[in-house]
Amino acid sequence: SLKRAVDRNRVKRLVRESFRCNFDTIPTVDIVIMGETKLASMDNAVILQQLDMLWVRLNEYYGSTDTLSKQTPPNHKTDYRV
């Protein structure tokens, strides 16, 4: 787990941004992201690349979903946590 709040907040911000950019391609499933200590030393671009690969893997595993049934993304301050 990430020990410093500044590291946790940076990872949260990157996950939220990646989620917003890929919302239309992510299957409708509950997602929990657990950060490892090594995330603190990773560059933002590397973390975003890892998240992009995660979204692809989720899509391959769960298949693509009907985009018409998707709702707007949740309010990031109240509806989901990272």
Side-chain angles (χ1 to χ4, degrees), residues 56-75:
V56 169
R57 285 177 44 206
L58 277 171
N59 206 7
E60 289 172 356
Y61 186 78
Y62 289 102
S64 50
T65 58
D66 182 9
T67 55
L68 295 176
S69 66
K70 287 201 171 197
Q71 300 174 355
T72 57
N75 178 341

Side-chain angles (χ1 to χ4, degrees), residues 9-10 12 34 39 51 55-56 59 63 65 69 75:
N9 291 337
R10 178 175 69 98
K12 286 184 210 179
M34 299 187 63
L39 279 173
L51 287 167
W55 306 141
V56 169
N59 206 7
T65 58
S69 66
N75 178 341

Side-chain angles (χ1 to χ4, degrees), residues 3-81:
K3 297 185 187 239
R4 297 185 322 161
V6 67
D7 295 329
R8 290 190 303 271
N9 291 337
R10 178 175 69 98
V11 171
K12 286 184 210 179
R13 190 174 58 248
L14 292 170
V15 170
R16 280 192 210 98
E17 182 62 25
S18 180
F19 179 83
R20 279 189 219 106
C21 291
N22 294 288
F23 176 73
D24 292 337
T25 63
I26 299 172
T28 307
V29 295
D30 291 340
I31 300 170
V32 176
I33 306 255
M34 299 187 63
E36 296 180 2
T37 307
K38 64 183 178 181
L39 279 173
S41 63
M42 293 173 77
D43 186 41
N44 288 357
V46 174
I47 294 172
L48 289 171
Q49 183 181 30
Q50 292 291 320
L51 287 167
D52 286 342
M53 290 188 325
L54 173 66
W55 306 141
V56 169
R57 285 177 44 206
L58 277 171
N59 206 7
E60 289 172 356
Y61 186 78
Y62 289 102
S64 50
T65 58
D66 182 9
T67 55
L68 295 176
S69 66
K70 287 201 171 197
Q71 300 174 355
T72 57
N75 178 341
H76 70 278
K77 293 184 179 180
T78 58
D79 294 341
Y80 67 91
R81 296 179 189 98

